[in-house]
Amino acid sequence: MKEKIKQLKKEKNAMIFAHFYAPSDVQEIADCVGDSFNLAKVAKESDAKLIVFCGVSFMGESVKILCPEKKVLVPDMTADCAMAHMVRPGVIEEMRAKYDDLAVVCYINSTAALKCQSDVCVTSSNAVKIVKALPNKNIFFIPDRNLGGYVAKQVPEKNVILNDGCCPIHAALTAEQLLEQKRLHPNALVLTHPECEPQILELSDYIGSTAGIISYAKNSANDEFIICTEYGVEYQLMLDNPNKRFYFTNPRPCCQDMKFNTLESVLSVLEKENNVVEVSEEIRLKALKPLDKMLELAK
Ligand code: 13P
Ligand code: SF4
């Protein structure tokens, strides 16, 4: 199957993008594996006309918004991010009415419709930098209360208003689960994604995006780590550091939607060129503004 995919990819001049949470065999055949920010940036810069995006729907949608001339395919149309929808209708208008200098900062893990109503997008790797750079004092951070809360702590000069959304996978990690791993592995450093709850962040040695966690583990002199994020990152961690050890909380956090990106579905979508990501031009133009602003401010 891997050989067939490689051959078809070459014939069609296609590129396969995969998030670090995609299954390991899919990461293995991908041309580019990354965190949300890097994948969006590389997709925009690449000259491939056909992209197969192995992630969840907001990721494929973001690529289509940034690069309308490309044909973007997703292996499974039902792979979605639960958090991407977690903003109550009407709440953005209410906040804008309440604060006249409000900036609506939208985590990229959100629907195109939410991006349309926002001033700037962020990812977990650039949220602090971008919020710091904004001239506005009042920030409405959507949809993730945990990433928003983490940003608020790093940028105390701003009034960050949180929205009650979260990633169900990261929010399910408990302090007890982490403390159990710390007891079992007292010399391990704790590397955590900012979508985890504050009690997990407080027990961590490093907080960052999936790419940040991977790079921290590679550059650290330590050889044991407890990883507080989805277990898909293990593939890259082991590839980079075959002699280091990585532990996850029990049960291992798993985003089922990311696992819909199987080799079978990648091959099928490459053969049929179905599952095309479509975004209406009206929505695309509105959602493009905050995404472009993110790329500009993150430079
Ligand atoms: P990253 O941008 O850190 O890869 O995170 C994406 C994501 O979905 C985290 O749950
Ligand atoms: Fe969304 Fe959470 Fe899955 Fe990331 S891990 S894609 S935030 S549901």
Side-chain angles (χ1 to χ4, degrees):
M1 205 149 25
K2 285 179 190 162
E3 283 313 310
K4 270 192 188 167
I5 292 174
K6 278 185 196 157
Q7 199 183 320
L8 262 179
K9 206 173 67 168
K10 210 170 156 192
E11 269 169 36
K12 299 196 173 196
N13 200 10
M15 265 184 94
I16 300 181
F17 284 68
H19 188 266
F20 288 125
Y21 298 160
S24 51
D25 49 7
V26 168
Q27 291 191 46
E28 196 189 320
I29 49 102
D31 300 288
C32 176
V33 185
D35 67 359
S36 309
F37 179 65
N38 203 44
L39 290 171
K41 195 166 147 277
V42 175
K44 188 175 154 96
E45 287 161 4
S46 100
D47 48 18
K49 298 273 173 292
L50 183 64
I51 287 182
V52 177
F53 201 103
C54 306
V56 287
S57 58
F58 77 82
M59 295 181 178
E61 214 173 54
S62 298
V63 174
K64 187 67 194 173
I65 293 166
L66 286 165
C67 332
E69 72 291 354
K70 299 192 199 306
K71 189 170 182 183
V72 184
L73 311 176
V74 290
D76 192 313
M77 291 292 245
T78 64
D80 197 2
C81 168
M83 180 166 68
H85 307 268
M86 290 188 191
V87 178
R88 177 171 62 75
V91 72
I92 296 178
E93 291 88 331
E94 284 166 28
M95 288 297 168
R96 287 205 191 274
K98 205 163 161 189
Y99 301 94
D100 52 11
D101 77 324
L102 191 77
V104 178
V105 175
C106 183
Y107 190 20
I108 197 165
N109 296 37
S110 55
T111 59
L114 286 173
K115 289 184 178 81
C116 286
Q117 300 174 68
S118 303
D119 298 300
V120 62
C121 284
V122 295
T123 71
S124 54
S125 66
N126 60 31
V128 171
K129 182 178 178 180
I130 289 179
V131 169
K132 252 187 198 158
L134 292 173
N136 318 58
K137 166 98 178 148
N138 293 303
I139 308 290
F140 184 33
F141 195 99
I142 58 167
D144 186 16
R145 61 166 190 254
N146 290 328
L147 178 62
Y150 170 69
V151 170
K153 277 205 167 159
Q154 310 300 309
V155 194
E157 65 275 21
K158 306 272 180 188
N159 175 36
V160 181
I161 304 147
L162 301 178
N163 169 75
D164 194 18
C166 67
C167 161
I169 316 316
H170 286 85
L173 271 75
T174 65
E176 290 68 33
Q177 291 169 354
L178 175 53
L179 289 170
E180 186 199 346
Q181 293 306 313
K182 278 170 83 79
R183 257 193 312 275
L184 292 169
H185 313 290
N187 298 323
L189 292 176
V190 180
L191 316 185
T192 296
H193 196 280
E195 287 174 17
C196 290
E197 296 285 334
Q199 57 272 31
I200 303 286
L201 303 189
E202 277 159 24
L203 291 166
S204 301
D205 297 293
Y206 170 79
I207 298 164
S209 72
T210 51
I213 290 173
I214 288 164
S215 139
Y216 187 97
K218 194 174 179 176
N219 297 321
S220 166
N222 218 57
D223 58 6
E224 281 187 277
F225 304 88
I226 299 165
I227 306 295
C228 294
T229 191
E230 211 271 354
Y231 82 92
V233 295
E234 187 182 40
Y235 174 71
Q236 189 66 43
L237 287 168
M238 293 301 294
L239 212 60
D240 290 349
N241 317 279
N243 298 321
K244 295 187 181 181
R245 271 160 298 161
F246 300 98
Y247 312 107
F248 288 81
T249 47
N250 186 16
R252 279 150 68 101
C254 172
C255 178
Q256 291 295 347
D257 286 69
M258 283 284 184
K259 309 306 179 206
F260 293 162
N261 297 290
T262 59
L263 283 180
E264 288 86 348
S265 60
V266 172
L267 178 58
S268 163
V269 88
L270 257 177
E271 278 169 346
K272 298 184 195 140
E273 292 193 32
N274 60 339
N275 292 356
V276 181
V277 178
E278 310 272 12
V279 180
S280 78
E281 193 57 7
E282 191 194 343
I283 293 196
R284 193 188 74 78
L285 288 174
K286 283 189 197 157
L288 180 63
K289 281 190 192 161
L291 279 169
D292 268 347
K293 192 160 179 189
M294 170 183 82
L295 292 174
E296 185 200 315
L297 290 175
K299 264 181 202 157

